[in-house]
């Protein structure tokens, strides 16, 4: 028994040091199986000793406790392989039970039944321990698999982020070059640098073109900055702005688009004649209204109407609303419409060139100002988007 136990220890040491592959695992299990079977056979000789050599009840009790302890210990050292566990436990347990059956004395039937019950308990216990070990191994393997997939996904996300950043940088350069020319020529025309303009309205249009170009240039810089920060949670530079002035600017900017679409674009006068000053970043607030009005124009059929209004509500917020008589959307689709790059199926029909980022970007910008964006819509019955911003300007 000592020799076989020593050999098992040597096998275990070699197993820990070796790089065992899946193909080698059955070989190591067979080696342990032979060792366990040999030890179980040796322990089964206990039964022969009990039957052949009479012994005092005290000695018999010590022997039986040793056998029981050995069988119980096997559930912790061998249960990971049911073949190895049974090759050891069954010979040792059955041999001992047979020895007790043939032992002289009236106590042998009772002891043999108790030993049989104990053996059955050990087999069930060993099976449960083996299943628990298998489940732990499976969970560990799944964890390793998930970690590997997570690492791979992280690397792919990093590559995708770098690619997007490169595309953003190239796109910004390609857009900014002709845009600077547009701004420059518009300013020359607006200031009449090379001579007077025949009609004063052309001068106004040139000024509007230059202002719109500057806004677009600033927006490109903002988008590049957001892309570099990997998040829309960018800082904002607040200043005191007149909401009515921004609404008029956005209306004038998008009025030609509305006329081409046959849509009436109106600014509803505020009920309060005092200037509607709030603390906000002008560029971001402009972009919010441009996105909302632009969406309303695209999703409103010819002959429809868009109303832009602003008022202070009872909760101390300044409310800017953009209402249209367009196609609307189902209530269940509103959360989807707020997801970045997610354009609804019906929306693609009316605005095939849309990228599905306008609403998501507007919501982020409003939240950066400490406000909220609320959409109220019904399919076929128009849409109203309300922007709630903290009222009051910085001192």
């Amino acid at each position: 028994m000592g020799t076989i136990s020593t050999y098992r220890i040597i096998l275990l040491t070699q197993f820990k040091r070796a790089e065992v592959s899946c193909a080698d695992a059955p070989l190591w299990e067979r080696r342990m199986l032979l060792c366990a079977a040999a030890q179980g056979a040796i322990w089964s000789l206990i039964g022969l000793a009990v039957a052949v050599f009479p012994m005092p009840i005290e000695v018999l009790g010590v022997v039986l406790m040793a056998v029981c302890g050995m069988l119980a210990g096997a559930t912790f050292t061998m249960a990971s392989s049911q073949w190895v566990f049974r090759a050891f436990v069954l010979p040792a347990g059955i041999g001992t039970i047979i020895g007790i059956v043939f032992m002289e004395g009236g106590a042998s039937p009772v002891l043999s039944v108790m030993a049989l019950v104990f053996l059955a308990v050990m087999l069930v216990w060993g099976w449960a321990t083996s299943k628990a070990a298998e489940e732990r191994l499976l969970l560990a393997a799944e964890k390793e698999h998930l970690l590997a997939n997570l690492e791979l996904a992280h690397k792919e996300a990093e590559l995708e982020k770098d690619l997007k950043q490169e595309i953003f940088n190239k796109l910004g350069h390609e857009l900014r070059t002709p845009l600077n020319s547009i701004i420059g020529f518009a300013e020359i025309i607006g200031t009449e640098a090379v001579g007077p303009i025949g009609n004063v309205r052309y001068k106004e249009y040139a000024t509007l073109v230059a202002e719109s170009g500057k806004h677009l240039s600033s927006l490109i810089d903002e988008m590049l900055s957001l892309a570099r920060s990997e998040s829309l949670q960018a800082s904002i530079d607040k200043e005191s702005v007149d909401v009515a002035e921004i609404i008029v600017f956005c209306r004038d900017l998008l009025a030609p688009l509305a006329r081409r679409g046959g849509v009436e674009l109106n600014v509803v006068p505020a009920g309060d004649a005092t200037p509607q000053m709030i603390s906000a970043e002008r560029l971001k607030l402009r972009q919010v209204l441009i996105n909302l009005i632009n969406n309303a124009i695209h999703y409103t059929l010819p002959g429809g109407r868009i109303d832009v209004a602003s008022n202070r509500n009872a909760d101390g917020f300044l409310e800017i609303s953009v209402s249209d008589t367009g196609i609307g959307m189902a209530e269940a689709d509103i959360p989807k419409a707020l997801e970045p790059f997610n354009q609804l199926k019906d929306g693609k029909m009316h605005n095939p060139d849309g990228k599905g980022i306008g609403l998501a970007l507007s919501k982020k910008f409003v939240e950066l100002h400490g406000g909220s964006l609320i959409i109220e819509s019904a399919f076929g019955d128009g849409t109203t988007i309300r922007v709630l911003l903290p009222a009051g300007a910085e001192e």
Side-chain angles (χ1 to χ4, degrees):
M1 181 66 72
T3 301
I4 297 175
S5 297
T6 303
Y7 181 63
R8 280 185 60 195
I9 294 174
I10 294 173
L11 278 180
L12 180 60
T13 303
Q14 292 177 348
F15 177 79
K16 289 181 177 180
R17 292 177 179 175
E19 296 182 359
V20 181
S21 63
C22 294
D24 298 332
L27 175 62
W28 287 95
E29 187 176 20
R30 284 195 295 270
R31 290 174 180 173
M32 289 295 182
L33 177 65
L34 291 175
C35 291
Q39 286 184 310
I42 294 173
W43 275 103
S44 68
L45 296 177
I46 293 291
L48 178 62
V50 169
V52 174
F53 302 103
M55 58 187 70
I57 189 65
E58 295 85 357
V59 177
L60 179 61
V62 172
V63 171
L64 292 179
M65 283 191 293
V67 174
C68 291
M70 172 270 304
L71 294 178
T75 60
F76 298 101
T77 59
M78 298 181 180
S80 57
S81 171
Q82 282 294 290
W83 291 107
V84 175
F85 176 72
R86 291 167 184 169
F88 177 77
V89 170
L90 287 175
I94 293 175
T96 304
I97 292 172
I98 292 175
I100 294 174
V101 169
F102 289 100
M103 183 181 66
E104 295 182 358
S108 61
V110 176
L111 291 176
S112 61
V113 171
M114 292 176 60
L116 186 62
V117 171
F118 182 80
L119 177 62
V121 171
M122 288 300 100
L123 290 173
V124 174
W125 190 9
W127 177 83
T129 304
S130 175
K131 289 298 180 183
E134 289 179 4
E135 290 178 0
R136 286 196 299 271
L137 290 174
L138 287 174
L139 288 175
E142 290 179 0
K143 179 182 177 182
E144 291 295 328
H145 181 66
L146 289 174
L147 289 175
N149 287 342
L150 183 61
E151 183 178 0
L152 179 61
H154 179 70
K155 290 181 179 179
E156 291 179 349
E158 288 292 330
L159 291 174
E160 184 178 358
K161 182 189 70 175
D162 294 340
L163 179 60
K164 285 182 178 180
Q165 183 62 52
E166 183 180 355
I167 292 174
F168 265 106
N169 291 335
K170 289 182 178 179
L171 182 62
H173 175 74
E174 295 296 329
L175 290 175
R176 194 178 284 108
T177 300
L179 187 58
N180 289 334
S181 298
I182 294 173
I183 295 172
F185 287 127
E187 288 180 340
I188 291 174
I189 297 172
T191 57
E192 298 180 320
V194 295
I197 301 175
N199 192 320
V200 69
R201 296 298 297 273
Y202 291 147
K203 182 178 179 179
E204 294 176 2
Y205 292 155
T207 303
L208 185 59
V209 169
E211 185 69 19
S212 301
K214 292 176 182 177
H215 172 78
L216 183 56
S217 180
S218 299
L219 180 62
I220 291 173
D221 292 337
E222 181 71 16
M223 293 299 294
L224 292 175
S225 175
L226 292 178
R228 282 192 294 270
S229 67
E230 303 176 16
S231 170
L232 290 177
Q233 300 300 323
S235 60
I236 57 175
D237 298 321
K238 290 185 178 181
E239 59 179 318
S240 181
V241 298
D242 187 348
V243 173
E245 177 187 332
I246 291 179
I247 291 176
V248 170
F249 170 82
C250 296
R251 179 201 61 187
D252 294 342
L253 181 65
L254 296 172
L257 179 63
R259 284 196 296 269
R260 285 198 300 269
V263 177
E264 183 182 351
L265 177 58
N266 300 302
V267 173
V268 179
D272 187 357
T274 59
Q276 297 177 334
M277 307 298 294
I278 65 170
S279 178
E281 183 173 327
R282 187 182 304 274
L283 173 64
K284 287 186 171 65
L285 188 54
R286 275 183 180 179
Q287 191 57 40
V288 168
L289 288 179
I290 289 172
N291 288 341
L292 299 184
I293 297 173
N294 183 63
N295 279 356
I297 293 172
H298 280 104
Y299 301 132
T300 300
L301 301 178
R305 177 187 177 94
I306 299 172
D307 291 327
V308 183
S310 61
N311 286 289
R312 296 180 185 272
N313 62 20
D315 297 327
F317 281 81
L318 181 71
E319 178 179 318
I320 306 172
S321 64
V322 178
S323 304
D324 63 64
T325 59
I327 62 174
M329 55 182 148
E331 185 177 353
D333 290 334
I334 292 178
K336 299 178 184 177
L338 289 170
E339 295 176 0
F341 305 104
N342 186 13
Q343 193 176 17
L344 301 180
K345 182 178 180 181
D346 293 318
K348 291 180 180 179
M349 297 173 57
H350 294 270
N351 186 19
D353 296 328
K355 300 299 183 293
I357 194 176
L359 277 179
L361 195 62
S362 298
K363 184 174 182 292
K364 288 291 184 181
F365 284 167
V366 171
E367 290 174 350
L368 282 175
H369 285 82
S372 59
L373 185 147
I374 303 171
I375 301 178
E376 299 171 354
S377 184
F379 188 73
D381 196 26
T383 300
T384 297
I385 300 180
R386 296 189 293 129
V387 175
L388 301 177
L389 296 171
E394 290 183 338
E395 297 293 336

